[in-house]
Amino acid sequence: MPPPAPEPSRPTPLAIAPGALWYREALDRAEQAALLADIRAVMAQAPPFTPTMPRTGKPFSVTMTNCGPLGWVSDTSGYRYQSFHPDTRQPWPPVPARLLRLWETYARCPAPPEACLVNYYGPDARMSLHQDRDELDLTAPVLSLSLGDTALFRIGGEERGGKTSSVRLASGDIFVLSGPSRLAFHGVDRILAGTSTLLAEGGRINLTLRRVNPA
Ligand code: MD3
Ligand code: FE
């Protein structure tokens, strides 16, 4: 048996809820800029689209794109993961290597992520309280990386209407959701415009790395 590969070191997280680990200021400015350049390249290949609500067709205030073998989409037929961009019909671009390294360091999940959802929030965008349960494998962690303006993020429990707590997710913060928090209700109440200079156009990009299928 070969010796196990050494685990890359990571800062000590704050536990917001059981299984919800917040790594504040995990990435310095240079790392954030390098990740942003990787995501700009993804967006050039797979332009952000405006998803719509399944029943009503109401547009989201957030625009989205994806990289990885699978991407999350929403339209009048429903929420789902699919292997191609809904407008261009092209396969999603691969997950940049730098992001795969973050997954190895912070998610500590033996299987690679299958989907990386890229959300863009302009100054007035928000995301209402929801659960992420479109994945077949709900045991794998989800890793979130924030870039740009700070978000007022809210997280509750597994039941809608329960008590919630709020944290400000800033540029360079990493949030890992696993175990009991994987099915927690969560959302973004608002974006605090002008809190970061990372994005020239302002606003916020959030990346979520996910498994979809059991390994
Ligand atoms: C808690 N995105 O894409 S990231 C989403 O800031 C989403 O764009 C938010 O909710 C954003 O679905 C929040 C932090 C996050 C991501 C996934 C979670 C929190 C989560 C899954 C389960 C519980
Ligand atoms: Fe979510």
Side-chain angles (χ1 to χ4, degrees):
M1 285 266 280
E7 300 280 17
S9 70
R10 50 184 185 184
T12 305
L14 270 160
I16 298 307
L21 302 183
W22 184 21
Y23 297 90
R24 291 186 71 173
E25 299 175 6
L27 306 175
D28 67 19
R29 177 76 176 205
E31 267 181 292
Q32 294 173 42
L35 283 156
L36 177 61
D38 289 345
I39 292 310
R40 297 268 197 227
V42 164
M43 287 171 154
Q45 290 291 305
F49 58 93
T50 302
T52 57
M53 290 297 290
R55 282 170 41 81
T56 60
K58 184 180 185 281
F60 284 42
S61 60
V62 174
T63 62
M64 298 180 173
T65 189
N66 292 271
C67 52
L70 292 171
W72 188 88
V73 300
S74 178
D75 58 24
T76 45
S77 350
Y79 306 133
R80 65 191 174 278
Y81 282 92
Q82 65 181 38
S83 61
F84 57 92
H85 190 290
D87 299 331
T88 68
R89 319 290 289 179
Q90 291 298 117
W92 304 109
V95 179
R98 198 179 292 277
L99 272 175
L100 294 175
R101 288 201 294 272
L102 288 186
W103 174 264
E104 285 165 13
T105 304
Y106 288 90
R108 302 279 168 93
C109 175
E114 292 172 288
C116 173
L117 174 59
V118 180
N119 295 329
Y120 174 71
Y121 296 77
D124 297 318
R126 47 192 293 281
M127 190 175 286
S128 54
L129 224 53
H130 66 278
Q131 287 173 301
D132 290 19
R133 49 189 310 163
D134 298 321
E135 301 76 26
L136 232 34
D137 182 357
L138 292 170
T139 67
V142 172
L143 183 154
S144 150
L145 164 64
S146 297
L147 295 172
D149 286 338
T150 297
L152 202 50
F153 171 77
R154 183 191 294 267
I155 184 164
E158 286 188 38
E159 243 129 324
R160 195 182 278 284
K163 109 175 197 311
T164 62
S165 49
S166 293
V167 293
R168 287 173 182 226
L169 294 182
S171 196
D173 288 3
I174 289 178
F175 207 67
V176 178
L177 292 307
S178 55
S181 277
R182 181 62 184 78
L183 285 172
F185 276 89
H186 60 278
V188 173
D189 290 335
R190 67 186 192 92
I191 300 300
L192 306 177
T195 45
S196 166
T197 56
L198 186 70
L199 307 193
E201 71 276 38
R204 170 175 183 260
I205 294 174
N206 180 263
L207 312 176
T208 45
L209 296 165
R210 304 143 184 258
R211 291 278 319 160
V212 177
N213 299 120

